Amino acid sequence: MTMKLTAEVITSMRVAKVFRENKDKITCIDVSINGETMIASSNDDSISVYCCLEGKPKRQVNSKKYGCDLVRQTHANNAILCSSNKIDDTVRYLSLHDNKYLRYFPGHTKRVVALQMSPVNDTFLTGSLDKTGRLWVCERIRKHGQYPVGGRLLYASEKRGKVTLHFNT
């Protein structure tokens, strides 16, 4: 079923449910490719996982040491990518099952402002205020590619299996 989003449809929408698991500002939200789960990171260093089918929270994990800014679901059911907003600018691969880091992806020297997972495989792109874009593979610690750019990153997008970083030059 599809619905055309018009001004009338959008203005008729109302809040159906409010979740209060996060105690501070939400920094990022990501919905799984199949639409069944949603994750949200917050300035209180917590990551909340929600079941979209039931409209209920599933669990909450903390990232007190490193903080958590951007979050993305991966192809693994119980693992996510998250960028740090504390100690350094490393992206971390986190197991939600036992709240342990599986891998670290260091290299950026300034805040990561874009994190985009490929919808077709385990590669992901990061973009940073250090004016670099990096291509990574979840199974490897080393970067797969690095791309210096001459401007500030605007956003990352995905279209038909291709992940793109967009910069302002």
Side-chain angles (χ1 to χ4, degrees), residues 22 26-30 38-42 46-50 71:
N22 301 94
I26 301 293
T27 57
C28 189
I29 294 174
D30 188 44
M38 180 184 82
I39 54 176
S41 59
S42 172
S46 69
I47 301 163
S48 299
V49 183
Y50 301 93
V71 289

Side-chain angles (χ1 to χ4, degrees), residues 126-143:
T126 57
S128 168
L129 294 178
D130 64 10
K131 297 184 180 176
T132 63
R134 294 173 187 251
L135 176 66
W136 308 88
V137 180
C138 287
E139 293 84 25
R140 294 186 216 151
I141 295 172
R142 292 184 343 169
K143 67 182 176 290

Side-chain angles (χ1 to χ4, degrees), residues 83 95 112 118 125 132-133 136 140-142 146 151-152 156 165:
S83 65
S95 168
V112 173
S118 169
L125 277 174
T132 63
W136 308 88
R140 294 186 216 151
I141 295 172
R142 292 184 343 169
Q146 179 175 330
R152 182 182 168 106
L165 295 175

